[in-house]
Amino acid sequence: MIYILNELMEMFQDWPLGTIAGILLACLVLVIIGLVAWRVFVAIDSWFLAERAGKGRISKKEFNLAHAVTGLFLVVDDEYIVYVEVDGRKGSIMIDKARYSKLSQDEWVDVSYSVGRISGWAHIKTLSQSTVTV
């Protein structure tokens, strides 16, 4: 580890190319650390929680067209996302196209969800196949 730090310090001192490369490398490391920290937070906040049942209102529907992230050579399929408000908490869930087209905004549905330990967010687990009346 000390060897790597010494190499980085030498890179920072080699102006201008080494400094620019060192700054880009440091930024990349910080982004990776941030992504790992976010995944750890989500895991601690939402894993292994008891599920609750309730009635939720569909507050928003979102469709994201399939696209490719060229820098990572990653293809993302169509995404059908439904945002639900349940017991005063907001959450979202990805569903298939058939269910997405059957639901409309401000409809009520039965949901099973858990509440985050830290954030208090609603982590929607399942969405009923049909709407319900309130």
Side-chain angles (χ1 to χ4, degrees):
M1 184 70 176
I2 300 292
Y3 175 76
I4 294 172
L5 291 176
N6 287 334
E7 288 294 319
L8 284 175
M9 290 308 295
E10 285 181 26
M11 188 185 299
F12 281 125
Q13 292 171 357
D14 182 23
W15 178 258
L17 189 58
T19 303
I20 294 169
I23 290 171
L24 291 175
L25 181 63
C27 288
L28 178 66
V29 168
L30 288 175
V31 167
I32 290 171
I33 289 172
L35 290 172
V36 169
W38 175 252
R39 297 307 296 170
V40 168
F41 170 77
V42 169
I44 291 170
D45 191 50
S46 63
W47 287 3
F48 308 113
L49 296 175
E51 288 190 16
R52 302 177 182 185
K55 294 185 187 324
R57 184 182 64 84
I58 298 174
S59 60
K60 179 181 168 187
K61 291 172 57 176
E62 184 177 302
F63 169 69
N64 296 324
L65 189 61
H67 59 281
V69 181
T70 56
L72 302 173
F73 302 105
L74 175 71
V75 177
V76 179
D77 292 332
D78 289 343
E79 296 176 333
Y80 300 91
I81 304 169
V82 176
Y83 294 88
V84 180
E85 291 179 17
V86 57
D87 293 335
R89 302 175 195 280
K90 296 180 181 180
S92 64
I93 186 170
M94 289 179 57
I95 58 176
D96 59 42
K97 183 179 181 179
R99 290 179 63 198
Y100 181 85
S101 60
K102 290 179 185 176
L103 298 172
S104 62
Q105 193 165 329
D106 292 328
E107 281 187 325
W108 289 84
V109 291
D110 287 323
V111 296
S112 65
Y113 67 101
S114 59
V115 177
R117 289 181 181 95
I118 302 166
S119 66
W121 298 333
H123 299 284
I124 309 296
K125 307 292 184 187
T126 61
L127 199 65
S128 67
Q129 294 289 344
S130 59
T131 59
V132 296
T133 55
V134 178

